[in-house]
């Protein structure tokens, strides 16, 4: 029996087949092999491009890539290594970036035909930081129009499919990122998250991610014609998706380096003080009004058992005003959209987007000036209450969704369907954006053949604790995408 690729490299047995299978390795292993010159960055890039060619036509996750440029980036890494230069922690690792951030020379379409000619003249901070860390940018991944749906389709790039089942959503708005990394296109994927757009695709595709604390990873698009509204900026975060929690941590460190173009960036350490042990974890009680799938909730409890086995102390606890926090998120984001962006969106987006937007506006309250100012004040109170809660329970374990992953374009079923999806199914996800807290997502198992993940929330700038707990669950649950790859 042939050894797994990881063992073949560690034992020095490197066949031609192993070179072709480099895309299967974790990012840390690829970088180590390249730094040690056992494998070249060009070989890793060639393997990644071959995987892209093999699977992307059926899922449409990467919508823009240039093989010559990819190989040139890899060649530059190899040349730097030949000069004995430090090429960074992501030396030669193939990564993808979402099509809504600037990459010099590429169109920042954000899923819009109108922006097909908006060619970036400079990199966003995320792209610059990835390149400084030695990563090779493999391609650009799909998103919905304006990155404002939790389903990934648009009129310029088309539909992105879930590599497990084309009939279910790959998530959104970073659906292309989640689909790509699950299918083996790139070892790490960049995405962003204003209401779940990292965590929901991670769940749908069965991979890991972290939505960092607001201010952890710098963000800026020079191509943007206007600054983002205040709360939209404060509720949004850039972040990585990957197959392994260790790779999420590695990418987080690379992406988090300072960039003066983001005035909200915070120079917080990536590792905080060691907490008192055993670490107390609040297993979130499910609100009585939620309609749930018992199989999905059972896997949340299985994740709690995994943490208990790893030495964490689990207590089932009601979260502080979860429903009010979700409604606050919805009201603030939709008020800003209504006042500053709705007219432009309706003039440029397709009918599907407008139908979803109508559904979202129907479940929100459009605030007047006084209401908006009061809502911002309420935000501070909720953050304070959650911070106090996290002093007692440093981690919170919740479902990512309480129902099975829905069908493609499920949000086009009318206003009630939109409410069911976002108020019922995904309430635990979007609430966290208005609080600005970090939240990791990690697979825990399969339910009816589809991946189910859980969410781990921590206090401000304690991504390290979230990822430690995610790694403990991963050690028990394994890497779900390996089963997917066995079918391809």
């Amino acid at each position: 029996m042939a050894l797994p690729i990881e063992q073949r490299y560690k034992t020095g047995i490197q066949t031609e087949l192993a070179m072709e299978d480099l895309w299967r390795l974790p990012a840390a292993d690829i970088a180590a092999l390249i730094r040690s010159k056992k494998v070249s960055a060009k070989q890793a890039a060639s393997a990644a491009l071959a995987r892209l060619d093999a699977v992307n036509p059926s899922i449409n996750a990467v919508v823009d890539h240039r093989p010559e440029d990819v190989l040139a980036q890899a060649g530059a890494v190899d040349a730097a290594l030949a000069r004995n230069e430090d090429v960074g922690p992501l030396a030669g690792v193939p990564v993808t970036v979402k099509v809504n951030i600037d990459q010099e020379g590429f169109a920042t379409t954000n899923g819009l035909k109108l922006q097909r000619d908006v060619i970036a003249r400079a990199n966003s901070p995320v792209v610059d930081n990835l390149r400084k860390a030695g990563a090779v940018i493999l391609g650009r991944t799909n998103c919905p129009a304006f990155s404002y749906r939790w389903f990934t389709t648009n009129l310029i790039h088309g539909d992105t499919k879930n590599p497990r089942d084309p009939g279910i959503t790959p998530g959104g708005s970073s659906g292309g990122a989640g689909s790509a990394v699950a299918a083996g296109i790139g070892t790490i994927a960049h995405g962003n998250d204003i209401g779940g757009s990292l965590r929901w695709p991670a769940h749908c595709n069965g991979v890991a991610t972290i939505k960092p604390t607001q201010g952890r990873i710098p963000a800026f698009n020079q191509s943007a014609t206007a600054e983002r509204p205040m709360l939209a900026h404060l509720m949004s975060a850039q972040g990585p998706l990957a197959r392994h929690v260790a790779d999420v941590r590695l990418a987080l460190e690379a992406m988090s380096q300072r960039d003066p173009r983001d005035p909200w960036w915070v120079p917080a350490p990536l590792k905080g003080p060691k907490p008192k042990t055993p670490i107390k974890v609040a297993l979130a009680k499910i609100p009585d009004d939620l309609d749930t799938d018992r199989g999905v909730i059972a896997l949340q409890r299985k994740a709690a058992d995994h943490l208990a086995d790893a030495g964490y102390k689990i207590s089932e606890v009601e979260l502080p005003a979860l429903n009010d926090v979700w409604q606050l998120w919805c009201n603030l984001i939709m008020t800003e959209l209504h006042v500053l962006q709705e007219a432009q969106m309706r003039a440029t987006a397709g009918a599907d987007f407008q139908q979803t937007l109508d559904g979202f506006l129907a479940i929100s309250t459009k605030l007047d000036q006084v209401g908006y100012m009061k809502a911002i004040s309420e935000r501070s109170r909720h953050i304070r209450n959650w911070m106090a809660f996290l002093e007692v329970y440093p981690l919170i374990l919740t479902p990512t969704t309480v129902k099975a992953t829905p069908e493609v374009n499920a949000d086009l079923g009318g206003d009630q369907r939109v409410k069911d999806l976002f108020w019922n199914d995904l309430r635990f996800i979007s609430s966290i954006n208005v609080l600005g807290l970090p939240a990791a997502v990690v697979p825990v198992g399969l339910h009816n053949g589809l991946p189910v993940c859980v969410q781990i929330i921590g206090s401000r700038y304690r991504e390290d604790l979230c990822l430690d707990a995610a790694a403990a669950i991963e050690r028990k649950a394994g890497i779900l995408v390996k089963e997917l790859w066995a079918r391809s």
Side-chain angles (χ1 to χ4, degrees), residues 365-380:
T365 299
K366 292 189 285 292
L367 305 170
D368 59 14
Q369 185 181 56
V370 172
Y372 180 72
M373 295 174 73
K374 286 183 176 178
I376 292 173
S377 299
E378 282 296 291
R379 175 178 180 264
S380 296

Side-chain angles (χ1 to χ4, degrees), residues 189-203:
H190 155 267
N192 30 50
D193 188 319
I194 197 171
S197 291
L198 282 163
R199 291 160 290 154
W200 178 227
H203 174 94

Side-chain angles (χ1 to χ4, degrees), residues 124 132 151 216 278 327 364:
S124 67
K132 288 173 188 174
F151 299 79
R216 168 68 77 186
Q327 193 64 58
S364 67

Side-chain angles (χ1 to χ4, degrees), residues 127-212:
V127 173
D128 272 343
N129 280 342
L130 287 169
R131 292 296 303 273
K132 288 173 188 174
V136 170
I137 310 298
L138 179 63
R140 295 172 64 74
T141 56
N142 204 14
C143 67
F146 294 105
S147 297
Y148 251 97
R149 282 179 70 193
W150 283 331
F151 299 79
T152 299
T153 182
N154 57 63
L155 297 178
I156 179 173
H157 301 304
D159 301 346
T160 292
K161 304 296 185 184
N162 190 309
R164 281 190 174 273
D165 181 347
I168 64 167
T169 181
S173 64
S174 305
S179 176
V181 78
I185 304 173
T187 309
I188 292 165
H190 155 267
N192 30 50
D193 188 319
I194 197 171
S197 291
L198 282 163
R199 291 160 290 154
W200 178 227
H203 174 94
C204 295
N205 295 283
V207 297
T209 191
I210 182 82
K211 183 203 82 65

